[in-house]
Amino acid sequence: MQARKRYLILLSAGACLIALLYFGGVQTPLFRSNNRRDDRSLHGYHGRPQWPHFSGSLQPFSPWDQMETEEYNVHRSPRQKRDVISGVYKGKRCRMDSCFDFSLCKSNGFKVYVYPQQKGEKMSESYQNILSSIEASRFYTSDPGQACLFVLSLDTLDRDILSPQYVHNLRTKVQNLHLWNNGKNHLIFNLYSGTWPDYTEDLGFDFGQAMLAKASISTENFRPNFDVSIPLFGKEHPRTGGERGYLKYNSIPPYRKYMLVFKGKRYLTGIGSDTRNALYHVHNSEDVVLLTTCKHGKDWQKHKDARCDRDNAQYDKHDYREMLHNSTFCLVPRGRRLGSFRFLEALQAACVPVILSNGWEMPFSEIIHWNTAAVIGDERLLLQIPSTVRSIHQDSILSLRQQTQFLWEAYFSSVERIVLTTLEIIHDRVLQHAARSNLMWNSLPGGLYSLPQYSSYLGDFPFHYAKLGIKPRPKFTAVIHAVTPLISQSQPILKLLVAVAKSQYCVQVIVLWNCDKPLPAKHHWPATSVPVLVIDGESKVMSSRFLPYDTISTDAVLSLDEDTVLSTTEVDFAFTVWQSFPERIVGYPARSHFWDSNKERWGYTSKWTNDYSMVLTGAAIYHRYYHYLYTSYLPASLRGLVDQLSNCEDILMNFLVSAVTKLPPIKVTQKKQYKETMMVQVRSLWSFCLVCLGTTGDITIENTMMVQVRSFCLVCLGTTGDITIENTMMVQVRSFCLVCFRNNRRYYYREYYDGTGEVFLFGLL
């Protein structure tokens, strides 16, 4: 009897075990996936991470499954976990070839459409800056039928439900958009996702097949070559312009007062607290100064520990800016989320970032080689950080520091830079045949100024000659801008044409006929040893002199006004100098701009002084690529302003080249004084209205009988942007242009000369 009972019990237990295995109650590892990380993500599985093998003390971090503790999971209900999986991982396998419709980009190229803002919808200042940057870019279109990419007008930046910037009912609002199409060909910007206590990466709505431009995105959720990781930036981050980096000069050896610093919050509990709570272990109060404070949040005293009072006292003794600017390395540990404001602060201060944020997809990782500008650490190896940074050679430190300045100014100094970099990355994916190389993105002047539509060969760009070890072709094309009719054979333009054509370096002469009178007959032009091509300007505007004409076959362009007086020897000398500096403007007539503290605006002067800030394009040589940049990259508002004024195109070209190269122009001197013929335009201006597209208001000129276009008096009324000039006999247009270009805040001079204050001046004996 007893044996029979034991037999029945064993039989029942075996049957239960078989049923349990059959219905999935226990999963046995019969099959192993080839991609364990993707399988875990798709099924919401989070097991114990397999720690990577580290061969060195501080190697760049490899992606790994984010570790989740019981304390982390206890706050999330099964329904919340399902919602997170649905919101974050639904489009996990999206890539450009599966979730992007390339056919929308074939007819009109890469154009971006921004949905019109809906009435009653609130929008943060940061998101407004993002949309404004898109609308001011060369990619923007107001016609959705021409668009290749769509951006929401609904504010998606802050998806923390506890934030006052949180937009409610976003799921319904997005689904009701008539062009949504499950998010295909849409780009969503986001800085904050999730909320206390878990800070997941859930956006709170189904973004479908849309691409994410997201801060603090993890390698686990990042979709390579589809999403774009962007830096976390605050509302104070400037929309355009932005400050330059703080590295004024390179000190050798490149060491500062501190070796490693950090100053920030110490999270006593919750996600992100482990690393910051452990910083005191490596703090030595001498050259490694890592300061934290417990005083943040409403109930911080409830979680106060024994170290808080001492930490708070040390925290208050040190000034953060002083530490930042006097340290060689800056620690950038994760906060509640993976990204941190400390990252951009360190870049700008030329303090090499030491990243401690396991699993963070670095900003613009698709294009930037971060190992040349930062130290990628591991939170689990915190105690090795001081010895690791001390072991870095001073040559490497100098290189890292210089690269931080380049990356800051090229891609991170303003919201506009961040947005344009994001769009250019997607543009290169869409038009792969015209994509930039890694060298373009990671060397001066950066990918934003190296337009692949111009050429995919690095040797066609003037700023890559030195890196490639090549020189520009030893010939130039002269472009003479003609605006007055040809009446006499003794006019300066004919003498200039003959002198330029005799140059041993001249290939051809192009005369751009922007005169209202018909083209002169062919026999009116002198016979020369090089071809003379006369182009009848269709639009008759000033900017047409900088059009990228296909007939210009040489690298160098000699830009000339019709009244310029130069000898053949002087032309040859200027070109010889330019061959040594092909990325700069090299020319004869120099001018200066200055800040007028009394009038609180920029001023322009033609006085002969010991310094200068620009070389006029009436007699200057530069690379033909700048014609393409001027036409294709500059905002249409600036070119329109130049065309309305029929002036200041040379100032704008100087601003452009300076912004690209971060270098001054080069002035060459002559045997005789450069001669300029002042051109005075007399107009009846009772109804003459100039609209400055770079400001918020209109500029009106009334009752002005005589206007001398290079001398224009500017009267600014108030600070609202309205500028009115009334009953003014003499006004200075050049200063007016500086004001307008400055207000546009895209191309203007900050520190024009080299850090040493060196002024380049070449003389002709």
Side-chain angles (χ1 to χ4, degrees):
M1 187 67 180
Q2 296 295 331
R4 185 177 180 181
K5 288 183 178 180
R6 288 196 296 270
Y7 176 80
L8 291 175
I9 292 172
L10 291 174
L11 183 62
S12 300
C16 292
L17 181 60
I18 292 173
L20 190 62
L21 291 172
Y22 181 80
F23 290 107
V26 176
Q27 296 179 353
T28 56
L30 298 178
F31 302 98
R32 183 169 303 211
S33 170
N34 290 328
N35 192 338
R36 294 179 60 88
R37 193 182 73 174
D38 288 347
D39 290 344
R40 292 175 182 175
S41 302
L42 289 169
H43 296 91
Y45 174 81
H46 298 276
R48 184 176 299 276
Q50 299 297 320
W51 285 15
H53 173 71
F54 293 91
S55 58
S57 59
L58 194 61
Q59 298 296 322
F61 182 72
S62 301
W64 64 300
D65 293 335
Q66 184 174 347
M67 189 173 182
E68 296 193 8
T69 62
E70 293 181 1
E71 180 182 356
Y72 174 79
N73 283 310
V74 73
H75 299 292
R76 295 163 60 188
S77 67
R79 181 174 181 178
Q80 288 175 322
K81 293 180 181 179
R82 288 195 301 270
D83 290 342
V84 169
I85 295 170
S86 174
V88 178
Y89 299 110
K90 179 174 289 187
K92 179 69 177 179
R93 296 191 183 276
C94 265
R95 297 296 184 268
M96 293 294 291
D97 56 352
S98 60
C99 296
F100 192 89
D101 186 0
F102 288 89
S103 65
L104 297 180
C105 313
K106 289 183 178 180
S107 56
N108 298 294
F110 185 74
K111 295 295 183 181
V112 183
Y113 173 76
V114 178
Y115 284 85
Q117 187 174 356
Q118 302 176 12
K119 292 183 178 180
E121 288 293 340
K122 62 181 181 181
M123 184 181 296
S124 64
E125 182 180 355
S126 295
Y127 198 64
Q128 182 61 58
N129 288 340
I130 288 176
L131 298 187
S132 298
S133 299
I134 296 175
E135 292 170 352
S137 73
R138 63 192 180 97
F139 300 121
Y140 175 70
T141 178
S142 58
D143 182 3
Q146 297 181 354
C148 170
L149 187 68
F150 301 84
V151 177
L152 305 181
S153 62
L154 298 167
D155 192 345
T156 57
L157 280 189
D158 196 340
R159 301 304 298 155
D160 186 340
I161 198 171
L162 300 179
S163 171
Q165 303 293 339
Y166 181 83
V167 177
H168 295 274
N169 302 320
L170 192 57
R171 181 177 305 179
T172 302
K173 295 174 182 177
V174 168
Q175 295 297 331
N176 289 336
L177 297 174
H178 67 286
L179 298 173
W180 177 242
N181 191 24
N182 194 31
K184 182 168 286 190
N185 287 55
H186 279 68
L187 176 64
I188 294 175
F189 287 89
N190 175 257
L191 294 181
Y192 308 97
S193 61
T195 189
W196 170 266
D198 302 328
Y199 296 96
T200 66
E201 296 183 39
D202 180 24
L203 300 186
F205 69 98
D206 180 12
F207 52 82
Q209 297 178 342
M211 289 182 284
L212 294 180
K214 190 180 187 311
S216 304
I217 191 170
S218 66
T219 54
E220 182 69 24
N221 294 327
F222 181 75
R223 297 168 292 182
N225 296 316
F226 191 73
D227 293 330
V228 179
S229 177
I230 63 175
L232 182 65
F233 60 88
K235 61 182 180 180
E236 302 85 6
H237 206 56
R239 184 180 74 83
T240 59
E243 295 183 8
R244 297 189 63 178
Y246 296 144
L247 184 62
K248 303 302 181 184
Y249 58 90
N250 294 318
S251 58
I252 303 294
Y255 298 119
R256 294 178 173 176
K257 178 180 179 181
Y258 303 108
M259 176 60 68
L260 179 68
V261 300
F262 171 75
K263 186 177 182 182
K265 299 176 182 178
R266 177 160 73 89
Y267 303 116
L268 298 172
T269 59
I271 189 170
S273 61
D274 293 343
T275 299
R276 297 199 180 197
N277 273 329
L279 293 182
Y280 76 98
H281 289 295
V282 293
H283 168 77
N284 64 13
S285 299
E286 295 177 359
D287 63 340
V288 178
V289 181
L290 308 178
L291 307 175
T292 58
T293 180
C294 306
K295 294 190 294 185
H296 57 88
K298 297 180 180 179
D299 57 348
W300 69 272
Q301 291 185 340
K302 295 181 181 179
H303 305 284
K304 182 179 177 181
D305 61 19
R307 294 202 336 264
C308 277
D309 290 336
R310 183 176 67 256
D311 288 353
N312 293 341
Q314 292 183 346
Y315 184 91
D316 295 335
K317 290 180 180 179
H318 291 77
D319 178 73
Y320 175 63
R321 292 293 172 184
E322 188 272 336
M323 294 172 58
L324 192 66
H325 298 164
N326 290 280
S327 180
T328 305
F329 296 92
C330 286
L331 198 66
V332 184
R334 64 162 297 161
R336 292 299 192 190
R337 299 175 179 88
L338 293 173
S340 169
F341 294 118
R342 298 293 182 267
F343 178 69
L344 290 186
E345 293 169 352
L347 278 184
Q348 183 180 14
C351 186
V352 181
V354 179
I355 311 298
L356 287 182
S357 183
N358 289 7
W360 180 30
E361 187 72 25
M362 294 288 287
F364 303 140
S365 55
E366 185 175 337
I367 60 167
I368 295 178
H369 296 159
W370 281 111
N371 60 337
T372 63
V375 178
I376 313 298
D378 190 298
E379 295 178 70
R380 297 162 298 181
L381 302 177
L382 173 64
L383 298 181
Q384 297 185 20
I385 294 296
S387 59
T388 300
V389 297
R390 293 183 197 279
S391 66
I392 299 177
H393 193 269
Q394 63 183 23
D395 292 344
S396 298
I397 294 175
L398 182 61
S399 176
L400 288 166
R401 184 179 294 169
Q402 290 173 336
Q403 193 70 358
T404 63
Q405 300 301 274
F406 158 65
L407 294 176
W408 163 258
E409 295 185 11
Y411 307 120
F412 300 106
S413 61
S414 66
V415 175
E416 181 187 57
R417 296 264 180 195
I418 295 172
V419 171
L420 289 180
T421 304
T422 302
L423 295 181
E424 293 285 2
I425 290 173
I426 301 174
H427 168 270
D428 281 6
R429 296 174 185 167
V430 174
L431 305 176
Q432 296 182 6
H433 63 282
R436 298 164 179 82
S437 66
N438 287 332
L439 181 59
M440 288 183 177
W441 284 112
N442 290 276
S443 59
L444 286 168
L448 297 186
Y449 291 125
S450 301
L451 301 186
Q453 296 86 348
Y454 173 76
S455 176
S456 58
Y457 173 53
L458 291 176
D460 288 335
F461 297 89
F463 23 81
H464 294 306
Y465 287 154
K467 288 185 284 290
L468 297 176
I470 61 177
K471 294 182 178 181
R473 285 169 285 183
K475 298 291 181 180
F476 70 80
T477 298
V479 178
I480 303 177
H481 187 227
V483 294
T484 57
L486 191 60
I487 301 174
S488 168
Q489 290 297 314
S490 62
Q491 285 184 236
I493 185 174
L494 300 180
K495 297 179 180 178
L496 176 64
L497 195 155
V498 172
V500 171
K502 289 181 179 179
S503 171
Q504 59 179 315
Y505 305 110
C506 183
V507 170
Q508 66 173 338
V509 178
I510 296 175
V511 178
L512 178 60
W513 191 257
N514 270 350
C515 180
D516 295 333
K517 301 296 182 179
L519 282 173
K522 187 175 181 180
H523 66 272
H524 287 163
W525 300 102
T528 60
S529 59
V530 298
V532 176
L533 177 64
V534 182
I535 299 177
D536 190 8
E538 296 181 2
S539 56
K540 308 293 184 183
V541 294
M542 294 299 295
S543 293
S544 63
R545 70 183 303 175
F546 297 139
L547 287 174
Y549 295 103
D550 294 334
T551 53
I552 300 177
S553 59
T554 58
D555 294 329
V557 176
L558 172 59
S559 177
L560 297 165
D561 286 342
E562 63 180 359
D563 56 344
T564 300
V565 178
L566 286 176
S567 67
T568 304
T569 305
E570 290 165 340
V571 170
D572 289 346
F573 177 68
F575 180 71
T576 303
V577 173
W578 178 85
Q579 287 183 294
S580 299
F581 304 93
E583 74 279 14
R584 309 198 201 187
I585 296 178
V586 176
Y588 287 100
R591 296 291 183 267
S592 298
H593 79 288
F594 61 94
W595 177 253
D596 191 330
S597 57
N598 294 327
K599 298 180 180 179
E600 294 187 348
R601 63 174 176 84
W602 290 103
Y604 171 90
T605 179
S606 59
K607 293 181 179 179
W608 287 70
T609 61
N610 291 328
D611 54 23
Y612 63 94
S613 60
M614 63 186 78
V615 168
L616 304 187
T617 54
I621 302 177
Y622 49 81
H623 198 279
R624 66 172 177 168
Y625 176 60
Y626 296 127
H627 276 196
Y628 188 85
L629 270 185
Y630 186 99
T631 304
S632 302
Y633 188 80
L634 279 177
S637 59
L638 293 183
R639 298 197 308 273
L641 177 62
V642 164
D643 294 339
Q644 284 184 321
L645 294 173
S646 296
N647 207 310
C648 305
E649 80 288 350
D650 43 7
I651 294 180
L652 186 54
M653 176 59 87
N654 272 266
F655 280 20
L656 173 62
V657 177
S658 174
V660 172
T661 63
K662 304 297 186 296
L663 294 170
I666 296 176
K667 172 180 171 53
V668 289
T669 57
Q670 304 172 258
K671 288 185 176 179
K672 55 182 177 293
Q673 183 177 353
Y674 176 83
K675 179 181 178 182
E676 293 178 309
T677 303
M678 297 301 296
M679 301 180 62
V680 180
Q681 298 180 359
V682 180
R683 300 176 182 175
S684 176
L685 300 174
W686 284 90
S687 59
F688 185 22
C689 178
L690 294 175
V691 180
C692 180
L693 300 179
T695 60
T696 59
D698 293 341
I699 302 169
T700 307
I701 307 174
E702 299 177 354
N703 302 327
T704 306
M705 299 304 296
M706 302 284 293
V707 179
Q708 186 174 7
V709 180
R710 276 201 177 309
S711 61
F712 219 128
C713 269
L714 197 63
V715 180
C716 297
L717 301 180
T719 58
T720 60
D722 292 335
I723 304 176
T724 306
I725 305 174
E726 299 179 349
N727 301 319
T728 305
M729 297 302 294
M730 304 288 288
V731 281
Q732 190 160 11
V733 169
R734 308 289 281 189
S735 296
F736 166 72
C737 291
L738 287 168
V739 172
C740 293
F741 295 157
R742 177 65 175 86
N743 286 337
N744 185 274
R745 299 188 66 190
R746 184 152 188 163
Y747 295 107
Y748 57 92
Y749 295 93
R750 289 180 286 257
E751 292 180 11
Y752 199 81
Y753 299 104
D754 290 342
T756 60
E758 181 179 3
V759 176
F760 291 89
L761 183 65
F762 289 82
L764 180 62
L765 301 178

